[in-house]
Amino acid sequence: MSKNYEAIKAHYASSDNKDLAAMMAPITDRTAWTEMEGFPYAGTYVGTVAIIEGVFKRIGDEWEGYTFTLERLVDGGSTIIGIGTYTGTYKRTGRPMKARVVHVWDVEDGKVLRFEQFTDTKLVAQATG
C-alpha cells in the first residue's frame, strides 16, 4: 500500500482510539477540509486549528457516541476513498443517527491537501432538528 493510503488508514485507526493528536498527524496548516452542505458543520475549514475547532470539537460537544465506522478504504494513489457509516445520538434532541458516508482524501507524500465529505444529510438533520 502507498504512503498516502497508510497515512489515512492511520488517521482512521486513531479516530477509533479517540486520539485526536494522532488523527491530525497527516493534516497541515494548508489542508482544506470540506464538510458537505446540509451537514451541521458545512463549510470548508483550512488548517489544523480551524478543522479541530470547526468540526471535531463541535462533534465532541454536540454528539454522544459519534462514530465513523470504516468499511472500505480504496487506494487510488494520490486520492484515497474511505467508505463507511456515521452513528451517534445528538445530545440536544436525544435522537440517534445512522448515515452512510464517503470521504475523499487528496494526499501528497502522506500529507492531506484536501478532504471532502459526502453523506446523507437528511438522516443527520432528522437527529439534529
Side-chain angles (χ1 to χ4, degrees), residues 48-86:
T48 306
V49 173
I51 295 164
I52 290 171
E53 292 295 317
V55 180
F56 293 111
K57 183 178 184 320
R58 292 168 69 190
I59 288 170
D61 290 346
E62 298 173 13
W63 293 86
E64 187 70 42
Y66 189 96
T67 305
F68 170 73
T69 302
L70 180 66
E71 297 165 19
R72 186 171 176 204
L73 192 59
V74 180
D75 187 350
S78 63
T79 301
I80 309 299
I81 309 294
I83 303 166
T85 304
Y86 288 144

